[in-house]
């Protein structure tokens, strides 16, 4: 069996009745392949609205779509696309099976762009396929929005929320994550209480059931707490243990800085006190050991930090509560002002810290997501606005299933 090139491309492009490939124009010196598609004269079309099968073409207009390269040659499809006359609906623009409405790319090209965007920056894709990045953004946005519109969040019960610095300046965005699968389900501009109400609205629009959300994990920011209490009154809040430890670490660091001004031995020891012991080198561990023997204020603050770290390993709520109470007594009697302040801040958030013992949730996964977000940001000279940046986070960190229109 031998096929004409037209027949071969017809099969490869899945062009079917009433469409056919009329001609192919290959111009190697212009590095182009042009394929003209037409419809069989006398064809009848289905009305795009009411599917009435007997609509005659009314008029046509020429359209061009960029298709996947044919080897190194840029490939374009051309077609005169009809408007049809439906007896019920009037004059209607026909869709074509190889491209989305209003799109200048074929569906194969769309699929390639979405696939590449999972690993490449938009500016790299733009360079690779030699197109303007604005055209590529339009494709990505369409598919992300389309996939989000089909998202079913009805089984989400456990939620983490955290803010992260945005593309430029002091702008923030807040990420809302399904803690059961570590996927971003909502992104909001800002980091105030309205983040939670905007999440609730969006969540409900995606089949989420606010009354089924049992647990939130967040830092101790009053805005998130207020937002959660107002919008999800039945949910319990667990304060993220990494944020709690961060507050304690900052207290240790403050004690060290003050003490360092009168004790030269503490110079260049910052990370020894801040890192977890298992992440220290042997040399650093030895240094830590000898410093700890010297009855330094920093050493006492450090011991309080390590003792607080032990809290999270408890499973029995009563034992954990009395452990934290004893720790609080010890911390507030340490005569170390930064530690006392940290302990008092924890006292104000007591219930949400204790909730960890039962809920076992933390925003640890958000740290991982945040590092993806920050790497997107670093490679993101090409983000023209925050909305593009958010689209990219949904693409890389969301739980989206992309489908091509049929
Ligand atoms: Zn119709």
């Amino acid at each position: 069996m031998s096929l004409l090139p037209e027949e071969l491309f017809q099969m490869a492009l899945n062009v079917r009745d009433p469409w056919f490939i009329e001609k192919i124009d290959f111009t190697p010196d212009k590095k182009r392949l042009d394929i003209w598609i037409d419809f069989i004269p006398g064809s009848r079309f289905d009305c795009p609205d009411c599917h009435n099968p007997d609509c005659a073409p009314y008029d046509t207009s020429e359209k061009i779509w960029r298709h996947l390269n044919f080897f190194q040659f840029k490939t374009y499809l051309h077609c005169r696309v009809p408007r049809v006359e439906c007896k019920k609906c009037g004059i209607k623009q026909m869709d074509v099976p190889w491209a989305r409405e209003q799109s200048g790319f074929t569906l194969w090209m769309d699929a390639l762009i979405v696939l590449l965007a999972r690993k490449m920056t938009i500016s790299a894709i733009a360079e690779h396929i030699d197109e303007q990045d604005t055209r590529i953004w339009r494709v990505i946005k369409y598919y992300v929005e389309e996939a989000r519109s089909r998202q079913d969040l009805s089984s989400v019960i456990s939620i983490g929320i955290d803010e992260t610095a945005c593309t430029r300046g002091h702008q923030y965005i807040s990420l809302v994550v399904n803690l059961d699968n570590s996927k971003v389900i909502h992104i909001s501009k800002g980091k105030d209480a309205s983040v939670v109400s905007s999440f609730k609205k969006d969540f409900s629009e995606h089949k989420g059931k606010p009354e089924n959300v049992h647990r939130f994990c967040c830092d101790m920011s009053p805005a998130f707490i207020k937002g959660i209490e107002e919008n999800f009154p039945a949910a319990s809040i667990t304060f993220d243990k990494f944020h709690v430890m961060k507050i304690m670490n900052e207290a240790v660091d403050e004690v060290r800085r003050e003490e360092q001004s009168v004790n030269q031995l503490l110079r260049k020891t910052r990370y020894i006190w801040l890192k977890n012991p298992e992440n220290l080198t042997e040399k650093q561990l030895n240094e830590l050991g000898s410093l700890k023997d010297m009855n330094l204020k920093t050493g006492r603050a450090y011991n309080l930090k390590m003792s607080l770290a032990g809290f999270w390993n408890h499973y029995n709520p009563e034992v954990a509560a009395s452990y934290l109470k004893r720790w609080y007594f010890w911390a507030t009697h340490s005569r170390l002002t930064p530690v006392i302040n940290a302990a008092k801040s924890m006292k104000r958030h007591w219930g949400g810290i204790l909730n960890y013992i039962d809920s076992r949730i933390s925003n640890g996964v958000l740290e991982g997501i945040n590092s993806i977000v920050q790497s997107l940001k670093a490679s993101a000279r090409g983000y023209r606005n925050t909305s593009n940046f958010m689209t990219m986070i949904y693409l890389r960190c969301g739980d989206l299933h992309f489908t091509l229109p049929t």
Side-chain angles (χ1 to χ4, degrees), residues 204-227:
S204 304
E205 284 165 7
H206 293 91
K207 300 187 186 150
K209 298 191 178 69
E211 65 276 16
N212 287 357
V213 176
H214 297 330
R215 292 181 288 267
F216 273 88
C217 187
C218 62
D219 61 20
M220 299 191 271
S221 99
F224 287 157
I225 299 169
K226 181 169 176 274

Side-chain angles (χ1 to χ4, degrees), residues 154-172:
S154 58
S155 61
V156 176
I157 55 170
S158 214
I159 284 167
I161 182 164
D162 199 7
E163 81 252 8
T164 187
C166 193
T167 40
R168 63 184 66 158
H170 296 290
Q171 275 185 8
Y172 282 85

Side-chain angles (χ1 to χ4, degrees), residues 127-192:
E127 196 173 320
H128 179 68
I129 67 171
D130 190 21
E131 287 288 350
Q132 292 212 342
D133 67 343
T134 46
R135 295 191 70 192
I136 296 165
W137 276 118
R138 277 202 292 277
V139 174
I140 303 290
K141 285 193 151 186
Y142 170 83
Y143 284 98
V144 166
E145 277 164 28
E146 197 281 325
R148 283 202 82 231
S149 74
R150 285 181 288 106
Q151 203 170 20
D152 181 347
L153 300 176
S154 58
S155 61
V156 176
I157 55 170
S158 214
I159 284 167
I161 182 164
D162 199 7
E163 81 252 8
T164 187
C166 193
T167 40
R168 63 184 66 158
H170 296 290
Q171 275 185 8
Y172 282 85
I173 52 170
S174 295
L175 305 175
V176 181
V177 170
N178 176 1
L179 290 178
D180 290 321
N181 67 3
S182 311
K183 300 291 186 184
V184 172
I185 54 174
H186 176 80
I187 310 170
S188 263
K189 290 180 187 173
K191 51 171 183 171
D192 57 22

Side-chain angles (χ1 to χ4, degrees), residues 46-52 55 85-90 92:
D46 291 359
C47 166
D49 285 359
C50 73
H51 305 290
N52 165 22
C55 304
E85 187 165 21
C86 171
K87 289 192 179 72
K88 280 190 221 155
C89 315
K92 291 283 157 189

